[in-house]
Amino acid sequence: MEKIEQVRSALAGRGLQALWVTDPANVRYLSGFTHPDDGRVLVTPAEVLLYTDSRYTVQAKEDAEEGVQVVIASPLSALEQAAPKVAGLKVGIEAANLTVAGLERLQSAWQAQFHPTEGLVEELRLYKTDAEISGIRAAQDLADRVFGEVRPMIKAGVRELDVAIALEQGLRQAGATSAFDVIVASGVRGALPHGAASDKVIEDGDLVTVDFGANLNGYNSDMTRTVAVGEPSAELQRIYTAVLAAEEAAVAAIRPGMQAGDLDAVARDLLAEHGLAEAFAHSLGHGVGLVVHENPRLARGSEDVLQPGMVITIEPGAYIEDLGGVRIEDLVLVTESGYEVLSHSPKERF
Ligand code: ZN
Ligand code: ZN
């Protein structure tokens, strides 16, 4: 239970003795419970308790990691049962997740002092365990396989929606789910960085941006490829080639110990040299794990430091109204010596 020891030491650093965990990803991370929306975790100096209701009597026991005690109770009775365990303690609550109503329920059930915390478990989640890295790797491998199967159908005459549905179906058939709504943005719609697939028909000469991920056993992948249909215009090819150069330069620059803002600058400066500074309107990337978008933050000025065990995306793009857009995104593990790219789907090259 190394994770729990880390939580206890993070609590001690804040002068706290217990933590009431309500954020679903944190509940899953600490307990292993696969229905974390319906679970709560209490970490005390002596115990780790997973509270959930009778719908999950069997599931919770199957899921619970070693050292986690499962308590089946209604939400209200769970609080009553936990009360003696936290009496007189300083209890951390998750400020970004616990509602005002949730805090009021705690205050009326427990004789404890409540202290808002931010990012306490999230800081531990930055550094993936070997099991987590395997989980993310498996999700990405599956996504690569499904993309390979669907890639031939990305051609003139096919609706964006049909590409998205084929990807989602492929993921489902392989035992995963879609990590987020599949983005398929073709032609001028490529200028929308988050263009959810529409009923637009893909046309000859379009660049088609496809951004999707697999959620497998709770862990996510995230990858974008921009696919050429027929022969895109010289200007689109120029923009694509610039984004590809920026993406590959940023990946190649990944080193443990570097600030994420400096990595963002590698891609941003390169795009600026091609007159695409304005066209790159979002940040370079983000961490990926139990949540698709988590820390670290790879953005302009970010002081987050890259460290071995982090899984991040590198995803520069360029979006030009009335013309189209390009984004290329790889999923990357930061290692002791540099990096390992986890996404393997081939990229267009002009
Ligand atoms: Zn993505
Ligand atoms: Zn992403």
Side-chain angles (χ1 to χ4, degrees), residues 8-9 19 30 83 95 103 119 124 181 186 229 262 270 282 313 329 346 349:
R8 289 196 179 112
S9 103
L19 184 66
L30 295 178
L103 178 57
L124 309 180
D181 282 347
S186 65
V229 173
D262 295 337
L270 216 146
H282 55 73
T313 69
E329 175 179 30
R349 289 182 195 272

Side-chain angles (χ1 to χ4, degrees), residues 251-286:
V251 170
I254 294 171
R255 296 283 179 279
M258 86 184 292
Q259 285 197 354
D262 295 337
L263 194 58
D264 181 279
V266 170
R268 208 165 289 282
D269 293 350
L270 216 146
L271 285 169
E273 284 171 26
H274 291 87
L276 295 169
E278 302 281 302
F280 179 24
H282 55 73
S283 52
L284 180 67
H286 53 88

Side-chain angles (χ1 to χ4, degrees), residues 90-254:
K90 292 183 175 150
V91 180
I93 49 172
E94 297 188 299
N97 180 271
L98 187 69
T99 61
V100 174
L103 178 57
E104 284 172 353
R105 280 193 290 273
L106 288 179
Q107 284 168 331
S108 62
W110 294 356
Q111 298 297 315
Q113 289 177 41
F114 298 98
H115 295 267
T117 65
E118 277 189 86
L120 192 146
V121 180
E122 286 82 348
E123 266 166 44
L124 309 180
R125 281 173 40 208
L126 283 169
Y127 311 99
K128 272 62 184 175
T129 64
D130 289 346
E132 290 186 289
I133 292 167
S134 304
I136 296 167
R137 199 188 289 278
Q140 181 58 53
D141 286 350
L142 194 154
D144 278 325
R145 180 154 59 77
V146 171
F147 186 74
E149 287 160 12
V150 172
R151 172 71 185 79
M153 79 175 275
I154 305 175
K155 56 187 183 196
V158 174
R159 296 183 314 162
E160 292 174 354
L161 267 175
D162 295 317
V163 174
I165 291 166
L167 288 168
E168 281 168 13
Q169 190 178 344
L171 294 172
R172 294 301 296 263
Q173 278 172 339
T177 57
S178 202
F180 50 89
D181 282 347
V182 175
I183 290 171
V184 181
S186 65
V188 291
R189 292 194 74 254
L192 306 170
H194 268 225
S198 76
D199 60 3
K200 178 188 173 294
V201 173
I202 294 167
E203 292 167 62
D204 198 45
D206 278 356
L207 286 178
V208 185
T209 302
V210 181
D211 186 352
F212 79 112
N215 180 295
L216 183 65
N217 302 319
Y219 282 91
N220 295 287
S221 71
D222 187 9
M223 172 181 76
T224 308
R225 290 292 182 262
T226 297
V227 172
V229 173
E231 175 102 357
S233 69
E235 177 63 357
L236 285 174
Q237 291 193 28
R238 182 188 79 83
I239 294 167
Y240 180 93
T241 302
V243 172
L244 180 60
E247 200 267 345
E248 292 184 336
V251 170
I254 294 171

Side-chain angles (χ1 to χ4, degrees), residues 126 128 133 136-137 140 144 220-225 247-256 258 263 284-289 295-296 298 306-316 328-335 337-344 347:
L126 283 169
K128 272 62 184 175
I133 292 167
I136 296 167
R137 199 188 289 278
Q140 181 58 53
D144 278 325
N220 295 287
S221 71
D222 187 9
M223 172 181 76
T224 308
R225 290 292 182 262
E247 200 267 345
E248 292 184 336
V251 170
I254 294 171
R255 296 283 179 279
M258 86 184 292
L263 194 58
L284 180 67
H286 53 88
V288 179
N295 285 332
L298 285 79
L306 300 181
Q307 299 287 1
M310 289 181 172
V311 176
I312 58 175
T313 69
I314 300 295
E315 51 179 306
I328 301 166
E329 175 179 30
D330 277 314
L331 187 65
V332 185
L333 170 67
V334 182
T335 65
S337 58
Y339 64 91
E340 178 191 345
V341 178
L342 302 179
S343 45
H344 300 296
K347 295 168 185 166

